[in-house]
Amino acid sequence: MLEVKGLMVFYENALAVNDLSLKVQAGQVVGVIGSNSAGKTTLMNTLSGLILDQRIKELRKGGERITIMGKVIHEGQDISDMPAYERVRLGIVLCRERHPVFPDSTVLENLAIAGHLRSKVEVAQTTELCFDLFPNLTRWRRRKAGFLSGGEQQMLAIGMALVVRPRLLLLDEPLLGLSPAMQEKVVEAIRSVREKTGVTIVIAEQFARPILPMLDFGYVIENGMLTLTGSGRDLMENPEVKSAYFGL
Amino acid sequence: MAAQDTSKQVTRRRERLDRGIKVRSEDIYALNSWREALYLLAPRALPVVALVLLQLLAPEYWQRVLISTTVFALLAISWDLAASSGMVCLGQALFFGVGAYLAGIMNHYLGLPPGLTLPLATLGGGVICTVLLLPVLRLRGIYFAMFTLILPLMIERIIEATKVFGGTEGLSGLTPFSHPLWESFLTMTALWVALFGLRRIMASDYGLVLKGINDNDRAVMSAALNIYRYKAQALFLASATGAFAGAFMTHSYRFVGMPVFALDYSILPIASAAVGGLGTLAGPALGAFILVPLSEMLRGLGGLRIVIYAVLLVVFTVGLPEGVFHYLRRKYTQFERWTEVGK
């Protein structure tokens, strides 16, 4: 479904992603595991196309020059230069890190804004699905998103991505800043999303322990480079992963 | 398990690096050689020397334009200082007008000479404008900006309605500067003092707090700092700078009236900052030195002048959104080259 070939991303002279290649098959849950500054967010921004917009903005304000090399191929089509909004139309939807919601809009309004590409009926259906997946949100339908807890905002952010009815859902650090109990809830919700919608999911995450068991395939990256690949179970058994991510 | 693509492929990318001389001239090492010292000194000294020479050699008309440009540069610096501290003003005319009227009143009613009215109007203008804006320091963004836009318009109408300080006629026949050269060099000195002094302040720890307020005021509050005190102080510095510009123009024109609250004094500093580059103080000053003489040069075109002026403004802001100053500084300190990237 998605293939990345020899991706390299430079922020000025700093190499954030170094010759990275990966494949995502339809229906899979694929994980990109890496510690801080491994290049996860850069990879997700490249897959979603947001980095192209970032590159233009930096260029225009004379900031850091962002150089992108390599290819992103979606169902045989090279989308490396396709802007983010067009990739969303293809069904590639990114849920950015740190629960990006519209703080001054209510939960329902947030979902409605996110689903503007869809008909009202579709949005209503997916909204109900979101409330099924995230029951915590149900009682806060008309509450401003900025007043929700961090975990609830994360759930809402995932819900907003779902309203677009993605074919490929990119989740960038969905567990960031959440308590272990809340992390479990979000992981459970991601699992339900997959079961109920069959959407292909790519998760970039540094908390490997809760994520690895649900992965069909995982990539471990460090300093922008691919260091390990394998199924979720293989990676869980890998001594290097155990040492680096489980502290064992 | 590891699956790195090992096929050899070479591509090129553009690389940006600091110039060697920039690195060599950092800190005390700049004193190692004249070349390094000159590298540091040139961008600071050249504008000063150039402005002095221009003021001495230019025809009288352009000398007046230079004075007016310097005044607008002061207003632009004042705007940038406030904006860098999280207070985007739309009413630089308030600072200018209050300073202008204070100098006019002190000269007209009390007979004080420019040597006294200028410092008193600068300090007094700073205090009055700060006090006027104190109640709205808690407002941010467009709300603060709207208030600063309304205040000068309001004062203008009050003067018109109550006919105080000469009403619509204003106060004329004020004491001029004793010598045209004294006038030119006073405004230039004020510009350099404001520019270098305020840049020094912004580079200090105190300036870091002001920039922090602009970036994330809650984070600054969390560092146990009273942001409203800092904002009030920054506002005083900005308004005193603007008030000096106003007071100076009062004596330069020997007149003060309602036009000192005109929108020109609010808009041009913002346009200068947009063209020159925000957040550096030098950028907005440079912007004023581009826009004001440009406006004068286009004067011969009559009605088309505004159109061409607007087009040039658009070209600057769209073509060089980082600002002329940022662009020049980048070119001065860095170079670019193509480099091969091997995979």
Side-chain angles (χ1 to χ4, degrees), chain B residues 15-341:
Chain B
E15 186 178 50
R16 194 185 284 164
L17 293 168
D18 281 354
R19 291 184 192 280
I21 192 165
K22 189 217 167 208
V23 181
R24 288 199 304 278
S25 57
E26 271 172 8
D27 219 325
I28 194 82
Y29 306 110
L31 299 175
N32 275 341
S33 81
W34 275 107
R35 197 164 166 256
E36 271 81 30
L38 261 180
Y39 177 78
L40 280 187
L41 202 62
R44 291 155 179 88
L46 273 180
V48 179
V49 175
L51 203 56
V52 170
L53 287 177
L54 273 174
Q55 200 67 63
L56 290 173
L57 303 175
E60 201 184 331
Y61 171 75
W62 283 101
Q63 282 183 4
R64 298 300 307 171
V65 173
L66 264 180
I67 289 175
S68 161
T69 307
T70 312
V71 164
F72 275 109
L74 278 169
L75 282 176
I77 289 171
S78 148
W79 183 88
D80 199 34
L81 176 69
S84 300
S85 315
M87 296 172 287
V88 177
C89 290
L90 288 180
Q92 229 55 30
L94 172 71
F95 307 159
F96 185 86
V98 168
Y101 261 98
L102 274 181
I105 291 163
M106 283 189 278
N107 185 251
H108 184 83
Y109 295 107
L110 307 176
L112 297 182
L116 278 177
T117 58
L118 280 179
L120 288 176
T122 304
L123 291 176
V127 171
I128 290 173
C129 295
T130 308
V131 169
L132 279 175
L133 292 173
L134 268 185
V136 290
L137 275 191
R138 284 176 189 275
L139 299 181
R140 280 186 282 185
I142 192 70
Y143 301 103
F144 181 82
M146 285 309 292
F147 193 80
T148 57
L149 177 70
I150 289 164
L151 266 183
L153 303 176
M154 219 164 75
I155 295 176
E156 202 181 347
R157 294 294 146 236
I158 290 171
I159 291 171
E160 187 184 12
T162 58
K163 297 185 173 53
V164 288
F165 311 132
T168 48
E169 303 293 316
L171 305 170
S172 51
L174 302 174
T175 314
F177 291 104
S178 51
H179 194 277
L181 218 57
W182 154 237
E183 185 179 347
S184 328
F185 282 99
L186 176 68
T187 172
M188 250 193 286
T189 310
L191 175 69
W192 300 128
V193 168
L195 182 60
F196 291 121
L198 293 174
R199 267 176 73 86
R200 187 85 185 158
I201 288 176
M202 290 310 276
S204 67
D205 287 354
Y206 180 83
L208 273 184
V209 175
L210 297 183
K211 286 179 203 161
I213 292 171
N214 185 31
D215 276 350
N216 189 339
D217 55 357
R218 284 177 195 167
V220 177
M221 266 192 247
S222 307
L225 294 164
N226 182 351
I227 63 164
Y228 303 110
R229 219 168 91 186
Y230 278 90
K231 278 172 108 170
Q233 290 165 359
L235 191 60
F236 173 77
L237 289 173
S239 48
T241 309
F244 174 85
F248 175 86
M249 283 313 253
T250 292
H251 289 291
S252 184
Y253 289 152
R254 304 181 63 190
F255 164 80
V256 63
M258 281 163 45
V260 293
F261 290 107
L263 223 51
D264 288 15
Y265 295 109
S266 299
I267 302 299
L268 204 72
I270 302 175
S272 302
V275 168
L278 310 175
T280 55
L281 303 180
L286 179 63
F289 274 90
I290 294 171
L291 289 184
V292 180
L294 188 73
S295 163
E296 287 303 320
M297 277 189 266
L298 296 172
R299 201 170 278 279
L301 296 173
L304 275 179
R305 169 175 163 248
I306 298 298
V307 177
I308 295 173
Y309 190 68
V311 169
L312 284 171
L313 250 181
V314 171
V315 168
F316 270 119
T317 43
V318 174
L320 213 59
E322 61 180 307
V324 179
F325 181 77
H326 286 287
Y327 178 79
L328 292 177
R329 186 168 61 176
R330 190 151 54 77
K331 291 291 170 195
Y332 192 68
T333 56
Q334 294 184 313
F335 70 98
E336 292 185 6
R337 68 177 182 196
W338 286 101
T339 180
E340 288 184 346
V341 182

Side-chain angles (χ1 to χ4, degrees), chain A residues 127-176:
Chain A
T127 300
E128 285 316 309
L129 172 71
C130 288
F131 290 132
D132 281 351
L133 290 169
F134 308 114
N136 288 27
L137 291 180
T138 315
R139 61 191 170 130
W140 301 130
R141 283 169 185 255
R142 299 192 189 284
R143 192 178 168 88
K144 282 193 174 181
F147 290 108
L148 299 180
S149 71
E152 288 162 347
Q153 288 189 23
Q154 184 59 57
M155 290 175 186
L156 176 59
I158 297 175
M160 287 165 71
L162 288 178
V163 173
V164 192
R165 299 206 171 188
R167 296 180 59 222
L168 174 62
L169 177 61
L170 308 170
L171 297 173
D172 190 7
E173 304 222 36
L175 307 184
L176 191 68

